[in-house]
């Protein structure tokens, strides 16, 4: 066997392992390698990105933290399109491995990942970030830890943000999920309820920048931008 063929073996084996990994679970976000979509995710994500991108252009952050980054779609998009340092935080090891492969395929983007749950201790240890994304995560934290803990975490996160938080969460009217039964009833206007949550935890200059479909649902969620 030629030397160059031997060198190619580890990479070929890794590609096979990556394909097997993708087949082992349902991806939450789309995955692009070399500009090509290689999976069929449960959530398209482009609708959210089209709302987020103008905010990055407006605030021009030098760095970004993506909490609950899943397969790293937003982390990688921000790093690649806005030339900033972007770090994702994810607890699921499979999603982290996929995100890492995407980052390795892009030799220009400055992106990386941290493994771990988003907790009060974790937030307390964070350095400051220009901009933080918190998308489709906070309702899970609320369901797991309850109201007091979740509000304290959101307030504590504010002290780590220099420019803005981009925030979206599940709503109590999204029936059929265990987490939705553990949220407070948000009334006829869940978007107003979420806006008041941000006010209560110390954020200001809060703007609703758009509506997107909830997860596998026609119910509309709001995406907010809030300043610390």
């Amino acid at each position: 066997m030629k030397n160059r063929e031997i060198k190619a073996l580890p990479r070929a084996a890794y590609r096979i392992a990556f394909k097997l990994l993708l087949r082992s679970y349902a991806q939450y976000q789309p995955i692009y390698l070399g500009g090509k979509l290689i999976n069929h995710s449960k959530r398209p994500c482009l609708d959210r990105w089209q709302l987020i991108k103008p905010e990055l252009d407006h605030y021009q952050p030098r760095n970004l933290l993506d909490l609950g980054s899943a397969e790293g779609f937003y982390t990688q998009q921000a790093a690649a399109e806005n030339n900033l340092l972007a770090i994702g935080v994810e607890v699921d090891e499979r999603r982290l491995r996929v995100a890492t492969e995407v980052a390795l395929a892009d030799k220009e983007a400055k992106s990386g990942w941290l493994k771990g749950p988003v907790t009060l201790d974790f937030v307390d240890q964070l350095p400051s970030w220009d901009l933080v994304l918190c998308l489709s995560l906070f309702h899970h934290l609320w369901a797991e830890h309850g109201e007091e803990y979740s509000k304290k975490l959101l307030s504590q996160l504010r002290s780590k943000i220099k420019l803005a938080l981009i925030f979206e969460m599940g709503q109590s009217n999204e029936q059929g999920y265990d987490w939705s039964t553990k949220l407070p009833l948000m009334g006829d206007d869940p978007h107003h309820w979420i806006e008041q949550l941000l006010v209560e935890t110390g954020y200001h200059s809060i703007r609703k920048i758009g509506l997107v479909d909830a997860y596998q649902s026609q119910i509309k969620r709001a995406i907010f931008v809030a300043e610390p």
Side-chain angles (χ1 to χ4, degrees):
M1 185 179 291
K2 295 180 180 179
N3 186 51
R4 64 183 181 183
E5 292 175 337
I6 294 174
K7 290 181 178 179
L9 279 176
R11 185 59 183 168
Y14 191 79
R15 287 174 178 169
I16 292 171
F18 183 65
K19 290 179 180 179
L20 291 174
L21 174 61
L22 291 179
R23 293 174 185 174
S24 71
Y25 80 104
Q27 290 83 58
Y28 187 65
Q29 296 177 347
I31 300 166
Y32 290 87
L33 281 179
K36 180 181 178 182
L37 180 66
I38 64 169
N39 74 324
H40 297 285
S41 62
K42 290 186 174 183
R43 168 166 280 163
C45 293
L46 286 174
D47 54 350
R48 286 165 171 76
W49 177 246
Q50 288 168 357
L51 297 172
I52 293 167
K53 180 65 166 67
E55 299 303 322
L56 299 186
D57 295 341
H58 169 71
Y59 284 103
Q60 297 187 345
R62 297 182 68 247
N63 54 69
L64 174 147
L65 183 69
D66 182 5
L67 298 175
S69 55
E71 286 82 19
F73 174 78
Y74 302 113
T75 314
Q76 194 67 17
Q77 289 291 109
E81 294 195 23
N82 284 75
N83 191 32
L84 49 77
L85 172 65
I87 301 295
V89 178
E90 177 57 47
V91 71
D92 189 315
E93 185 173 324
R94 296 167 304 176
R95 301 184 196 280
L96 279 171
R97 291 184 182 277
V98 170
T100 300
E101 176 68 12
V102 172
L104 290 173
D106 190 335
K107 295 180 174 60
E108 300 298 327
K110 301 183 287 289
S111 58
W113 279 266
L114 293 172
K115 182 178 183 293
V118 179
T119 63
L120 283 171
D121 287 342
F122 176 83
V123 172
D124 183 57
Q125 294 176 49
L126 285 174
S128 296
W129 296 84
D130 286 350
L131 197 142
V132 172
L133 299 183
C134 185
L135 305 173
S136 302
L137 171 69
F138 198 72
H139 50 286
H140 295 296
L141 300 179
W142 192 299
E144 181 178 356
H145 298 291
E147 179 177 353
E148 182 179 354
Y149 186 99
S150 301
K151 288 182 176 179
K152 185 176 180 181
L153 189 149
L154 191 56
S155 179
Q156 186 170 306
L157 180 62
R158 180 173 54 86
S159 68
K160 305 293 182 174
I161 302 171
K162 295 179 182 178
L163 298 176
L165 168 72
I166 299 181
F167 185 82
E168 172 243 330
M169 68 176 287
Q171 303 166 180
S172 61
N173 61 342
E174 295 179 46
Q175 299 178 1
Y177 299 102
D178 181 61
W179 56 259
S180 67
T181 66
K182 298 177 182 178
L183 297 178
L185 293 177
M186 298 179 180
D188 296 332
D189 190 351
H191 303 164
H192 177 72
W193 188 97
I194 295 169
E195 182 177 359
Q196 291 305 116
L197 171 66
L198 292 169
V199 171
E200 183 181 346
T201 50
Y203 295 85
H204 66 89
S205 302
I206 300 164
R207 294 179 287 116
K208 182 164 66 175
I209 60 173
L211 301 177
V212 293
D213 289 337
Y215 181 58
Q216 296 184 327
S217 171
Q218 296 300 310
I219 291 175
K220 295 295 183 181
R221 290 185 188 175
I223 296 186
F224 293 93
V225 172
E227 296 182 359

